[in-house]
Amino acid sequence: MNHAELAAFLRSRRDRVRPADVGLPAGPRRRVPGLRREEVARLAGLSADYYTELERGRGAQPSTQVLAALARALRLGGDERDHLFHLADRPLPALASGPTALVQPALLGLLDRLTTTPAQIITDLHETLVQNPLAVALLGEMPTGHGPHRSFVYRWFTDPAARGIYPAEDHPHHSRVFTADLQAVAARRAKDSDVTRLVAALRRRSAEFAELWEQREVALRRTDHKRIVHPSLGVIELDCHSLFSEDGRQRLLWFSAPPGTEGAAQLELLSVIGSQDLSTMPDRPERRPH
């Protein structure tokens, strides 16, 4: 591992990324045009001390997952991402799926321009790769690490807490749509080990999924009308759109509401409150479900 070159490369990429590129305010007291170390660490899900050690050319060899997170936080292109892995003496990961996936540059470029609406990039197995700040505010931060729990479809069928994002009366619809979408993915990626493991785990863990899987409904989830339960704003009615990468393994999702609707007004308010939870503030009037 080339500690010195890795440190220099990280510093050079950090200096290149502007705060607005990743949804951060520039601020009047910013002394550097690029990101601060603690901002890179936060975007990558790392401790500030650990990232600082990397930039100083010290510390342990970063894992594949850490390198992939840094590549996304620093908006690295394909060649730059490969260079980062070479400097850290790590093998290159798969390009399209899993927690170490390289985000498709075209999708990432579009995501960077979606600053006024919640948006995120996911794999075809519903593993979140990167979110903009409004997506975090709307949906919460998605889990890191590896394993089936990274897939929202897996969490949907195995973790009751994951369903709190949608009203209970909408759960059957989402269960059917998730299963039909996964059927389409499994057919396209026949004998792919990531897909077969996920499907096998879901059939073991969830009787609901197993029953829906046997119905063999097939439909990629391209658009949907969703009601999302937000802890501060109540139920927000939004349209969800998907843009697929050329190979179909990644998707850019973004949420919108027609102008003049309550959903549009709630999105504007969401951009103001960010990820604050106003429901815990004292003397807040009770919000009734829509």
Side-chain angles (χ1 to χ4, degrees), residues 118-286:
Q120 61 185 17
I121 297 173
I122 68 172
T123 71
D124 56 356
L125 300 184
H126 293 260
E127 302 158 319
T128 301
L129 298 177
V130 60
Q131 299 172 283
N132 71 7
L134 278 176
V136 175
L138 177 67
L139 306 171
E141 291 190 19
M142 298 302 160
T144 57
H146 34 233
H149 75 282
R150 279 187 54 87
S151 166
F152 184 70
V153 174
Y154 181 82
R155 298 197 304 276
W156 177 263
F157 285 105
T158 63
D159 181 4
R163 300 196 172 200
I165 194 172
Y166 298 126
E169 57 269 29
D170 297 349
H171 291 180
H173 164 76
H174 291 296
S175 293
R176 290 193 303 272
V177 170
F178 280 136
T179 307
D181 184 271
L182 189 55
Q183 281 274 15
V185 172
R188 190 183 68 247
R189 294 173 59 181
K191 300 182 180 179
D192 185 299
S193 60
D194 290 337
V195 182
T196 55
R197 280 198 299 266
L198 178 61
V199 172
L202 283 169
R203 296 181 77 175
R204 287 195 308 270
R205 293 286 308 275
S206 170
E208 179 191 17
F209 176 84
E211 180 179 350
L212 290 170
W213 188 259
E214 289 303 316
Q215 295 177 16
R216 291 175 171 78
E217 293 185 14
V218 180
L220 287 173
R221 191 172 198 170
R222 292 184 170 88
T223 61
D224 203 355
H225 184 77
K226 295 186 176 184
R227 297 192 303 157
I228 296 175
V229 180
H230 188 271
S232 303
L233 302 178
V235 177
I236 309 176
E237 292 201 29
L238 299 170
D239 295 316
C240 178
H241 314 274
S242 298
L243 178 64
F244 290 69
S245 63
E246 186 174 353
D247 63 6
R249 291 197 175 194
Q250 292 184 11
R251 309 171 186 183
L252 171 63
L253 305 183
W254 72 97
F255 299 84
S256 65
T261 63
E262 184 175 9
Q266 289 170 302
L267 280 184
E268 288 188 17
L269 184 55
L270 185 70
S271 68
V272 175
I273 68 174
S275 57
Q276 302 176 69
D277 184 359
L278 303 184
S279 64
T280 60
M281 295 180 64
D283 301 323
R284 182 177 179 271
E286 180 182 358

